[in-house]
């Protein structure tokens, strides 16, 4: 893959064209993120934000939508009332039916006639509209050499459909100017994973099959369908979460050290991992994966209905998935990566759990308690922390010799950086799109390697007749998910 230009080599955008500007993501995340970038002076004063969507609004109407969403969704520490008016001044709006490419000339006025101007486009619309949107952008001349395009997921529902979308995009925008968004890469602790691994001498010598016994990655959510019926049903946890966010986390944990923190080096290393994933296919789907669907239960003391009741019809969409994966290369030979994610689980947390191997020989014999192997727990959310569990001696004068205890070496990022505002992942990603740095965006070969692995699992499910097992809302998925690790003598870290 060709090296993409690094930050600084391209000019920051002076126009940001936001498709889906009145949608849920725009209101919850994108507009509040853009506001923060504005309020902190991180974007140039000349940057204009042009929203577009189907709603028949004018500039004032869109500014009102934006003002309301800031009011509703800005975190208290991000509120800067003095900056609101100047932010809203940046906004304008063009009502547009993205399925009608011939109408896109309406964008010409607000964008301006200068076609050499650096422009960032953000598509936060249904992927079914990507084809006509790109055609419309071409007709409006918005496909010049200084235009870059950001694409929100889902980019297709399998390898073939993602290739159709990627081909349509590639016809107008080369890979170096295509920014595929995986918002997990914008999260601070996800980037911190790179700092932890590659800015410290401590871990790397042990970061392999000799030092590590297994890895767990959990992304658990307490929410259910949240009114996203039309998107979620038929998609399910494997494609909604595992295909993108969780495989990206796995790739960051497992990759070789890149030579630089640059877009080509980082993504070259990630794609090697993704391509080394051992296929889970017809032969292993039933033994290496578990799917579930939540039934009624209680989350945080509140009774909640089952998925089918929320949906109002029968469905075999999985709301939980757990897999046992392997990265087939020298570094990770024989090290299982257990991944699980689900909706309506007991709590909301995302974490990476690294279990190191036992010491080769215990000098304490059977005395002093059980010697536990070290664990590194990297919490991404809700709070950000890194915790290393180590064995120490319990204070005391016991005649039996020393008594050992496992205690945490805690790095709470929330308290270490108490004065820092916690940012929305989209602030980082929007800023990088505006400035043209693709390091934290997903390259086409990564997406395709991800889909290839996921498609094989789905084929395997079909062939082996794997259907989701019910689990009560508020529990850790079906009991088979527990058995998936227990068979190997491993307990999920809850
Ligand atoms: C999205 C999924 O990509 O990520 C959602 O479509 C999920 O189903 C969300 O809820 C989780 O993101 P976060 O940042 O809340 O962990």
């Amino acid at each position: 893959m060709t090296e993409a230009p690094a930050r600084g080599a391209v000019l920051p955008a002076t126009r940001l064209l936001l498709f889906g500007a009145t949608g849920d993501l725009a209101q919850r995340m994108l507009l509040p993120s853009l506001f923060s970038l504005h309020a902190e002076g991180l974007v140039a004063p000349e940057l204009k934000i042009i929203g577009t969507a189907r709603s028949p609004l004018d500039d004032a109407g869109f500014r009102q939508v934006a003002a309301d969403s800031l009011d509703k969704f800005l975190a208290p520490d991000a509120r800067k009332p003095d900056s609101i008016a100047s932010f809203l001044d940046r906004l304008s709006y063009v009502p547009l039916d993205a399925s009608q490419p011939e109408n896109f000339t309406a964008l010409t006025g607000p964008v301006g006639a200068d076609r050499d101007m650096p422009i960032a486009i953000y598509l936060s619309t249904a992927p079914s509209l990507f084809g006509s949107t790109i055609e419309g952008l071409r007709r409006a001349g918005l496909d010049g050499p200084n235009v870059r395009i950001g694409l929100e997921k889902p980019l297709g529902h399998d390898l073939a459909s993602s290739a159709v979308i990627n081909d349509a995009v590639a016809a107008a925008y080369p890979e170096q100017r295509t920014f595929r968004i995986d918002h997990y890469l914008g999260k601070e602790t996800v980037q911190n994973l790179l700092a932890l691994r590659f800015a410290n001498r401590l871990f790397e010598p042990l970061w392999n099959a000799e030092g590590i016994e297994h890895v767990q990655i959990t992304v658990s959510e307490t929410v259910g369908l949240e009114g996203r019926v039309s998107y979620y049903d038929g998609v399910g946890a494997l494609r909604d979460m595992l295909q993108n966010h969780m495989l990206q986390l796995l790739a960051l944990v497992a990759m070789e050290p890149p030579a630089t923190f640059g877009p080509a080096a980082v993504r070259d290393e990630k794609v090697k991992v993704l391509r080394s994933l051992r296929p889970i296919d017809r032969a292993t789907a039933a033994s290496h994966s578990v799917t579930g669907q939540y039934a009624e239960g209680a989350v945080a003391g509140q009774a909640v209905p089952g998925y089918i009741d929320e949906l109002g019809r029968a469905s075999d969409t999985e709301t939980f998935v757990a897999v046992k994966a392997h990265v087939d290369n020298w570094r990770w030979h024989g090290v299982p990566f257990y991944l699980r994610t689900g909706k309506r689980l007991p709590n909301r947390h995302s974490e990476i759990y690294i279990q190191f191997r036992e010491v080769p020989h215990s000098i304490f014999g059977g005395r002093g308690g059980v010697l536990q192997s070290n664990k590194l727990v990297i919490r991404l959310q809700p709070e950000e922390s890194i915790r290393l569990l180590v064995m120490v001696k319990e204070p005391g004068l016991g005649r039996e010799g020393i008594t050992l205890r496992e205690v945490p070496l805690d790095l709470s990022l929330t308290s270490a950086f108490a004065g820092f505002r916690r940012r929305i992942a989209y602030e980082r990603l929007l800023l990088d799109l505006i400035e043209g740095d693709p390091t934290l965006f997903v390259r086409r070969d990564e997406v395709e390697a991800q889909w290839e692995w996921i498609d094989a699992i789905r084929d395997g499910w079909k062939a082996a007749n794997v259907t989701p097992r019910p689990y009560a809302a508020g529990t850790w998925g079906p009991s088979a998910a527990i058995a998936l690790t227990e068979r190997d003598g491993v307990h999920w870290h809850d």
Side-chain angles (χ1 to χ4, degrees), residues 475-494:
T475 65
W476 284 106
S479 54
I482 317 281
L484 181 77
T485 58
E486 297 280 337
R487 273 201 298 272
D488 301 338
V490 168
H491 308 298
W492 285 111
H493 186 245
D494 292 338

Side-chain angles (χ1 to χ4, degrees), residues 153 183-184 187 219 221 223 226 228 231-232 240-241 244-245 343 348 350 381:
K153 77 179 255 274
H183 78 277
Y184 266 56
K187 290 185 191 274
V219 177
E221 299 189 277
V223 293
E226 281 190 301
R228 295 162 83 215
Y231 159 69
Y232 193 85
D240 182 43
M241 296 294 285
N244 37 71
H245 310 320
K343 302 235 181 245
R348 174 175 186 257
S350 302
Q381 54 192 29

Side-chain angles (χ1 to χ4, degrees), residues 363-396:
I363 64 165
F364 305 102
R367 298 184 314 171
V370 184
L371 208 55
Q372 309 268 359
S373 42
N374 300 128
K375 291 128 197 155
L376 180 68
V377 187
I378 304 164
R379 267 273 169 146
L380 312 180
Q381 54 192 29
E383 76 287 0
E384 298 170 351
S385 67
I386 298 171
R387 163 182 273 219
L388 183 65
L389 294 163
V390 295
M391 296 307 290
V392 296
K393 178 194 173 297
E394 205 177 88

Side-chain angles (χ1 to χ4, degrees), residues 109-120:
V111 172
D114 177 3
R115 286 292 167 264
D116 290 330
M117 175 177 21
I119 297 173

